[in-house]
Amino acid sequence: MPDGQNRTRRTHDLRVRTLRICTATTVAVAALAACSTAGTPLEAQAPSTQAVMPASGPTAPPHKNRRAALASALRPILLDGHAHLAVAVLDQDSADQQIMSFGQNATFNTASIIKVGILATLLLQAQDEDRELTAAERQNAEEMIRTSDNEAATELWQAIGEAEGLDAAIERLGLSSTYGGPDVRWGLTQTTATDQVKLLRAVFSRGPMAARPPEGLSQTSRAYIRDLMGQIAQDQDWGVSAAGPQGSRCALKNGWLQRSTDDLWVINSIGQVAVHGHRYLVSVLSGDNASMKSGISLVERAARAAVGAASAHARPWPR
């Protein structure tokens, strides 16, 4: 089962830090509440994974070839080991709304990042039925996202119709390279980094979107997902949140899975961070990591490099 080190669904006494996220309203980014990236698990911390602010000073010139710029920023990271990596990033506040990607066509097991997709599917189905989520569905959704509870995810996976239900919903949201896992093995869903940014865009888009329903998520549904992603348990606050400095605005969902065939690790992270007044949607997928610790370090360095490459408002991240 993915995220084998997760809590069971009854560990509500877990200390959950409330992290406010960037809402999809017209409120200025400067007024948004902050979320800290200091909650990385002790066993997963490494000096190289600590968030560092980009150098201040004149802004970097925009890149003519954004894909090449991202590949260049990631090259030193990829030299460090044998893990596989795919990254996608979108600056939501830039006039250029093209998703930057590295490893664009590479597919990975989702592990628990699929829990965002499961919740989006549940909400789309509830919209279609013109109903609110039940109390049981809300409890499962909160445990699934905040503490990455696997039992809660399995119940909702079955409720949405497993892979068939997921595939139908995410197609409506514009994902084209994501396929639900077999039977109840939702963590073996296949996806790409670009598809995960498309999912994030469907969740974190600003303001009312009258053209979305019934095809896409309503404003209420989007706000609900954002709220839960902004309340991740303290020991799971790692990954793309490292792309911002301490106190940066963020919301995220992580996934980790040790494969039984070779004991190597899948480490994934998706979410939104804010740097220098710009909001970035970031997806980092990785496989063949020697350990969970090394995988987290890889994902966090890649997230910082991606935001640095995408930003026209700060110099690239220090290497």
Side-chain angles (χ1 to χ4, degrees):
M1 179 64 69
D3 294 7
Q5 298 180 11
N6 290 357
R7 291 156 186 72
T8 62
R9 63 180 309 187
R10 299 306 173 196
T11 54
H12 262 301
D13 57 338
L14 171 69
R15 181 167 64 89
V16 177
R17 179 182 46 180
T18 299
L19 309 177
R20 297 183 185 173
I21 62 172
C22 304
T23 61
T25 66
T26 56
V27 178
V29 171
L32 297 172
C35 98
S36 170
T37 61
T40 305
L42 180 61
E43 68 273 16
Q45 288 182 354
S48 63
T49 67
Q50 299 304 306
V52 181
M53 282 290 290
S56 59
T59 61
H63 297 291
K64 293 182 179 179
N65 189 331
R66 289 191 162 307
R67 184 176 297 179
L70 179 57
S72 177
L74 292 171
R75 189 172 296 117
I77 298 171
L78 293 170
L79 294 175
D80 291 346
H82 301 287
H84 297 140
L85 183 70
V87 180
V89 58
L90 173 65
D91 181 350
Q92 291 180 279
D93 298 298
S94 170
D96 181 3
Q97 287 298 291
Q98 188 78 19
I99 297 174
M100 294 174 57
S101 64
F102 173 85
Q104 183 176 12
N105 299 319
T107 59
F108 293 78
N109 291 329
T110 58
S112 277
I113 62 170
I114 193 55
K115 291 170 181 175
V116 176
I118 293 174
L119 179 53
T121 300
L122 178 69
L123 289 166
L124 279 175
Q125 292 179 351
Q127 287 175 199
D128 293 344
E129 298 165 6
D130 194 24
R131 68 173 182 86
E132 302 289 333
L133 297 187
T134 67
E137 287 171 337
R138 284 188 174 275
Q139 180 179 353
N140 280 327
E142 291 168 8
E143 293 176 350
M144 177 178 71
I145 301 298
R146 289 173 175 169
T147 66
S148 205
D149 184 83
N150 289 331
E151 186 178 345
T154 298
E155 288 192 20
L156 292 182
W157 176 253
Q158 293 173 325
I160 66 172
E162 300 181 353
E164 182 178 358
L166 176 80
D167 292 348
I170 60 178
E171 183 178 3
R172 289 168 57 177
L173 298 179
L175 282 67
S176 58
S177 301
T178 300
Y179 306 96
D183 303 319
V184 295
R185 290 176 288 179
W186 40 262
L188 298 185
T189 296
Q190 294 287 297
T191 195
T192 64
T194 299
D195 258 15
Q196 289 304 300
V197 168
K198 290 178 180 178
L199 176 60
L200 292 172
R201 184 166 58 187
V203 171
F204 287 93
S205 53
R206 280 182 166 179
M209 301 180 67
R212 289 284 185 180
E215 290 302 317
L217 292 163
S218 68
Q219 188 172 4
T220 300
S221 293
R222 286 180 278 134
Y224 182 60
I225 300 174
R226 293 194 304 265
D227 181 60
L228 294 184
M229 291 180 69
Q231 299 181 48
I232 298 300
Q234 181 178 355
D235 66 347
Q236 293 179 28
D237 181 17
W238 50 264
V240 299
S241 56
Q246 297 247 353
S248 63
R249 294 89 174 169
C250 60
L252 72 155
K253 184 71 194 77
N254 297 322
W256 59 100
L257 168 65
Q258 187 176 26
R259 298 197 316 238
S260 59
T261 54
D262 52 19
D263 293 331
L264 297 178
W265 287 80
V266 172
I267 303 292
N268 300 327
S269 185
I270 62 173
Q272 178 186 257
V273 297
V275 179
H276 295 291
H278 276 230
R279 301 165 305 136
Y280 296 89
L281 302 179
V282 186
S283 167
V284 183
L285 311 181
S286 71
D288 295 334
N289 294 285
S291 66
M292 183 175 179
K293 177 180 178 179
S294 66
I296 290 175
S297 174
L298 175 70
V299 165
E300 293 190 336
R301 286 180 291 149
R304 291 197 297 269
V307 170
S311 177
H313 302 272
R315 292 173 183 169
W317 296 101
R319 296 178 179 175

